[in-house]
Amino acid sequence: MSEPLTVSLDTLHLLAAALLCGERGWPVIPLVPGAKRPTGHPERDCPRTGRCAGGHRTPEQRATTDPELIHTAWAHHPYNVGIATGPAGLLVVDLDMPKEEEPEGAPDGATSFKALCERHGQPYPHTYQVRTPSGGLHLYFTAPSGVRLKCSVKRLAPNIDTRAWGGYVVAAGSTTPQGAYEVAEAAPVAALPTWLATLLTEPAKPAEPPTLAPVLDGSKAARTALERECAVIRAAREGGPNGRNNTLHRSACKVARFVAWGHIDRHTVEQAIQAAGESTGLPAAECRTTIRSAMEWIVANATPREVA
């Protein structure tokens, strides 16, 4: 007798979460119970009938703030709640945790974002925040008017994605087998800072890839290591464990040991690796954040070594 009651309470809880989003003007879509993917069929399996008689309707197009439609969808099913960020006028910064395939010491999204703020001389934004089951964080911002920002992956820095037009986020109150999405900061939703909007709209690749200047200072071993790792970085390609950002991080860690041992100047290393990273097409901000994270982790944890 207790199971129907539990399901009923869960359903009511999720219905309330969906209605709250609708009241805020955030169009919602039902997500598979206990999961993060939208209900309904993908475009490849669209029957072109019913609601799709005029063509396949994407989850973003189906999102609604209509309380009657929300009641109809959630009244009897414990659907998780998705927010269609574009129609909601939102840009959500997704600060994720490192993946298993990433190298040891790789920064999480929160660390990368704090470093990004510091490097641009900006305070950490105070806004509405949702904690994800994995330990990540969603920072909600109102999108700037006159600009149709789209979703991005690692454009700002490692383990930082953004959700805007063409995407959605899982709303607070939803649950997965890993845990619940919970409000971490109930502050009003702040406007997207101008400096972040600029980073999300500027060209992703430099017009002219920077060249690597000759390394003149440091020990011979350190200079050799730096030149070798810069060559490795320049040869990296997009995607996978050996993609550009992971390669940049691994190579920066290798050379950072020589900085920790006092064999070469940190600025020299960072400048050379930054140029190598940007030459692959990685955004300058992403390179700086990745290099800084690798450098600080290795310098803090490197085993002491005498200068040869």
Side-chain angles (χ1 to χ4, degrees), residues 102-108 111-113 115-116 119 154-160 233 243-254 256 266 270 273-274 277 282-298:
E102 294 186 55
E104 184 179 3
D108 59 23
T111 300
S112 294
F113 190 68
L116 186 68
R119 192 166 294 277
K154 295 184 180 180
R155 176 161 183 163
L156 294 176
N159 288 311
I160 299 180
I233 293 167
R244 295 176 300 172
N245 192 274
N246 283 345
T247 299
L248 180 67
H249 187 273
R250 280 196 300 267
S251 292
C253 284
K254 290 178 181 179
R266 175 169 176 169
E270 290 184 338
I273 294 182
Q274 177 77 24
L282 283 172
E286 181 174 343
C287 291
R288 286 192 296 267
T289 302
T290 298
I291 294 166
R292 178 180 179 182
S293 173
M295 190 70 63
E296 292 183 352
W297 190 84
I298 292 297

Side-chain angles (χ1 to χ4, degrees), residues 71-216:
H71 270 286
T72 299
W74 271 272
H76 305 291
H77 301 282
Y79 293 129
N80 273 340
V81 182
I83 301 170
T85 42
L90 295 172
L91 183 136
V92 176
V93 177
D94 180 7
L95 308 181
D96 209 352
M97 302 299 291
K99 308 297 187 295
E100 291 184 2
E101 65 270 18
E102 294 186 55
E104 184 179 3
D108 59 23
T111 300
S112 294
F113 190 68
K114 289 176 182 177
L116 186 68
C117 292
E118 291 173 6
R119 192 166 294 277
H120 285 269
Q122 299 293 334
Y124 190 92
H126 181 63
T127 190
Y128 179 82
Q129 303 177 24
V130 173
R131 179 73 61 185
T132 71
S134 67
L137 202 62
H138 290 169
L139 309 183
Y140 284 55
F141 298 99
T142 56
S145 59
V147 180
R148 193 179 175 94
L149 294 175
K150 297 181 180 180
C151 301
S152 71
V153 178
K154 295 184 180 180
R155 176 161 183 163
L156 294 176
N159 288 311
I160 299 180
D161 301 335
T162 63
R163 295 290 176 263
W165 283 97
Y168 66 93
V169 290
V170 183
S174 302
T175 61
T176 68
Q178 289 71 42
Y181 287 78
E182 300 176 332
V183 176
E185 177 58 66
V189 177
L192 181 69
T194 302
W195 66 275
L196 275 176
T198 299
L199 290 178
L200 291 169
T201 55
E202 67 181 5
K205 295 185 179 181
E208 296 182 2
T211 57
L212 177 62
V215 179
L216 302 177

